[in-house]
Amino acid sequence: MSYTLFTGHRLIVSGKIEDVVASAYGEIQNRKQDRIVIYDDSSGYVIDIDYRGTVEEVLARLKDHPMLRALQPEPEKPRGRGRPKLGVVAGEVTLLPRHWEWLKQQRGGASAAIRRLVDDARSKPERKELIRKKQEAIHRFLWDMASGFTDFEEASRAFSPGILKISKQGSPTGRKM
């Protein structure tokens, strides 16, 4: 996860949340009059931080921040049946007979085939969904950062669905209309 700090319309720093928040704290202590804002780079959401207290106190509160809880490692759950050392756990799958027949014919058996199918599906996020998420993040950022600028509406239309093309590397590029 990457976050970006702006003071006014000037980019200050991007990186891990702890580093960005520490930089924001420093900007506040230097009594900057410009707006100080942190963006979640992946979603475009503004991350509101409680800057009261010392920088250590501010950083300590990050673990309880509702938008940052997903970064916390989940507590380890007791392991049940399966191959615990590998993290394999038993579950239930309900399929039609034709599905079971196909799975039995696959290399490594049904369980291995299902694991390969799940891993393959997880490694290939839907292109349309990826494009939609990137468009929403860009829109959120633009709306918050630049909505008061001249020609904002025209510029924001350039990022409307169907206009933004995401290259294979994942970087946004414009498409001729």
Side-chain angles (χ1 to χ4, degrees), residues 7-177:
T7 298
H9 294 105
R10 189 171 54 100
L11 185 143
I12 303 299
V13 66
S14 287
K16 291 191 261 180
I17 189 64
E18 296 83 4
D19 299 334
V20 173
V21 169
S23 294
Y25 186 87
E27 292 287 317
I28 290 169
Q29 297 307 313
N30 291 332
R31 303 205 189 284
K32 300 287 182 179
Q33 297 300 316
D34 290 330
R35 177 178 181 230
I36 295 173
V37 63
I38 296 174
Y39 294 96
D40 177 336
D41 293 344
S42 65
S43 69
Y45 283 115
V46 173
I47 306 296
D48 291 322
I49 303 294
D50 178 1
Y51 292 103
R52 293 175 297 165
T54 66
V55 68
E56 291 80 16
E57 293 169 334
V58 172
L59 292 172
R61 281 193 296 270
L62 290 179
K63 69 180 183 335
D64 296 325
H65 194 289
M67 292 181 76
L68 303 175
R69 282 194 192 128
L71 303 177
Q72 305 295 326
E74 289 188 28
E76 196 168 314
K77 298 175 184 174
R79 295 183 181 175
R81 296 172 48 187
R83 296 182 185 151
K85 288 185 181 179
L86 298 176
V88 177
V89 293
E92 183 178 334
V93 177
T94 306
L95 299 173
L96 294 171
R98 67 177 185 263
H99 299 135
W100 284 114
E101 287 303 316
W102 183 85
L103 284 169
K104 289 176 188 174
Q105 296 171 10
Q106 302 308 305
R107 176 178 43 95
S111 292
I114 290 173
R115 285 193 297 271
R116 281 193 304 272
L117 289 169
V118 170
D119 287 342
D120 186 47
R122 289 182 67 206
S123 68
K124 296 179 184 176
E126 290 294 324
R127 187 166 173 74
K128 288 182 180 180
E129 182 65 14
L130 176 65
I131 290 170
R132 185 189 64 75
K133 285 182 178 182
K134 288 185 182 267
Q135 286 173 329
E136 286 178 359
I138 290 168
H139 177 75
R140 278 186 206 101
F141 172 77
L142 284 176
W143 187 260
D144 188 66
M145 182 59 74
S147 61
F149 287 177
T150 304
D151 298 325
F152 167 76
E153 286 185 37
E154 183 179 336
S156 68
R157 274 190 232 110
F159 293 104
S160 298
I163 305 274
L164 183 67
K165 178 182 177 184
I166 305 297
S167 70
K168 289 184 181 178
Q169 292 79 26
S171 61
T173 58
R175 182 173 67 194
K176 292 182 182 177
M177 295 176 58

